[in-house]
């Protein structure tokens, strides 16, 4: 049976992967305590001991603003660790699937980013994720790097959708940035896509970058409005009465974010044989699921 080593098992995508991967192999799920991405020795030891056929790195340092004041930690987890994982994977002949981000781009385009477009991250988080991609490409010849964006899910610590549900319950009025555009993406759809990719690519020789997000585009303001509209129908307790669209300038953050970070899904759709679900449909499914477990 195929042995799959999964990092970041208690994260949003990691928890969903533990469901979607069941049909394709035995999952060795590791969290931060079991596989510490800040410890090169620990990374090497776990990979050598488990001898997996496939490694999925869904662990990451994801605090975009905090990364500006913790650059070393962000680079250690997002940049150095993936390179070490790739090196060890190469030694034992394992295939590596690594999750990356839309934030490797600067957002100056106005058409969806292709896998071949030049990268130019604006902040430490994006720079650290790009370093991870480059480390994998240098150290391994059997990998898929999957870039995704604006991830939310029912699991994991926090995300924009869950934050909106909390704030929508606590407040009557909110101001949300309306001039940053991307594709909100449900973690379950990412997990499902990863599972499909592993069954469709040649694990012996694939070296590819793919983009995957839910289809369609939205601003953070659009997403907030959609969350409140759908949550109201489902019956979440909300007190929100007004949502004001504001500019990035009106809501300064430590990290610069791309104004436009829509990823083209054409390449992954061709591989998978279907188009990604529309973001609002997936949001509806996630909210229904979240309501059941709440």
């Amino acid at each position: 049976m195929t042995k799959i080593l999964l990092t970041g098992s208690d994260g949003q995508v990691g928890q969903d992967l533990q469901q979607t991967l069941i049909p394709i192999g035995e999952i060795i799920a590791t969290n931060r305590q079991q596989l510490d991405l800040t410890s090169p020795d620990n990374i090497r030891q776990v990979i050598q001991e488990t001898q997996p056929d496939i490694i999925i790195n869904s662990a990451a340092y994801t605090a975009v603003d905090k990364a500006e004041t913790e650059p070393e930690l962000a680079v250690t987890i997002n940049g150095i660790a993936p390179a070490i994982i790739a090196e060890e994977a190469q030694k034992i002949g394992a295939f590596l699937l690594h999750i990356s981000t839309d934030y490797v781009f600067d957002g100056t385009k106005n058409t969806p980013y292709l896998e071949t477009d030049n990268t130019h991250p604006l902040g430490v988080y994006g720079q650290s994720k790009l370093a991870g991609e480059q480390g994998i490409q240098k150290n391994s010849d059997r990998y898929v790097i999957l870039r995704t964006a604006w991830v939310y899910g029912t699991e994991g610590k926090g995300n924009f959708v869950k934050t909106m549900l909390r704030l929508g319950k606590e407040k009557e009025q909110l101001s949300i940035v309306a001039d940053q555009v991307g594709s909100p993406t449900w973690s379950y759809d990412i997990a499902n896509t990863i599972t499909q990719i592993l069954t469709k690519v040649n694990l012996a020789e694939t070296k590819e970058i793919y983009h995957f997000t839910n289809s369609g585009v939205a601003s953070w303001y659009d997403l907030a409005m959609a969350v409140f509209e759908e949550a109201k129908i489902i019956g979440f307790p909300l007190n929100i009465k007004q949502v004001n669209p504001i500019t990035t300038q009106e809501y300064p953050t430590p990290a610069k974010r791309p104004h436009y970070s829509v990823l083209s899904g054409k390449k992954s759709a061709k591989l998978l044989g279907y188009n990604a679900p529309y973001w609002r449909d997936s949001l509806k499914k996630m909210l229904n699921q979240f309501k059941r477990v709440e």
Side-chain angles (χ1 to χ4, degrees), residues 246-257:
I246 57 167
T247 64
T248 300
Q249 259 181 319
E250 290 173 271
Y251 186 74
T253 55
K256 274 187 178 176
R257 286 164 167 78

Side-chain angles (χ1 to χ4, degrees), residues 35-191:
L35 195 156
D36 180 2
L37 291 186
T38 64
S39 166
D41 291 343
N42 184 238
I43 295 168
R44 294 183 197 281
Q45 184 189 348
V46 172
I47 293 170
Q48 287 301 328
E49 281 176 5
T50 53
Q51 291 283 310
D53 302 295
I54 296 169
I55 301 171
I56 300 175
N57 184 31
S58 76
Y61 180 107
T62 56
V64 176
D65 288 321
K66 215 175 170 189
E68 297 297 315
T69 53
E70 291 184 338
E72 280 180 22
L73 186 59
V75 170
T76 299
I77 294 170
N78 292 344
I80 297 167
I84 295 167
I85 293 170
E87 204 177 292
E88 293 304 310
Q90 185 75 0
K91 281 182 198 169
I92 62 169
F95 185 84
L96 172 59
L97 191 143
H98 172 76
I99 301 173
S100 194
T101 175
D102 56 330
Y103 279 27
V104 297
F105 298 112
D106 61 14
T108 53
K109 263 188 98 175
N110 54 15
T111 55
Y113 279 95
L114 302 170
E115 288 81 356
T116 49
D117 281 334
N118 288 334
T119 52
H120 185 231
L122 297 175
V124 172
Y125 168 70
Q127 288 158 6
S128 70
K129 292 295 285 182
L130 180 58
E133 290 187 10
Q134 290 166 340
I136 289 165
Q137 290 168 310
K138 187 180 158 199
N139 291 345
S140 172
D141 55 20
R142 298 171 66 196
Y143 63 82
V144 161
I145 293 165
L146 186 74
R147 293 184 186 135
T148 188
W150 292 34
V151 183
Y152 66 87
T154 56
E155 306 295 347
K157 277 186 295 196
N159 57 58
F160 185 83
V161 173
K162 288 204 274 191
T163 300
M164 287 304 107
L165 290 173
R166 178 175 56 79
L167 292 175
K169 190 179 174 182
E170 292 170 4
K171 297 178 182 293
E172 291 190 354
Q173 193 169 323
L174 284 171
S175 295
I176 306 289
V177 170
D179 61 353
Q180 290 172 24
V181 177
S183 301
T185 305
W186 186 23
S187 58
Y188 182 83
D189 288 336
I190 299 169

Side-chain angles (χ1 to χ4, degrees), residues 225-235 280 283-284 287:
M225 291 298 287
V227 169
F228 297 139
E229 283 164 21
E230 299 295 349
K232 201 173 178 183
I233 294 164
I234 296 165
R280 187 134 181 178
L283 174 66
K284 213 180 287 190
L287 289 170

Side-chain angles (χ1 to χ4, degrees), residues 15-30:
Q15 292 200 48
D16 288 332
L17 276 166
Q18 289 178 71
Q19 304 306 312
T20 61
L21 288 169
I22 290 168
I24 68 167
E26 176 201 346
I27 307 156
I28 304 157
T30 62

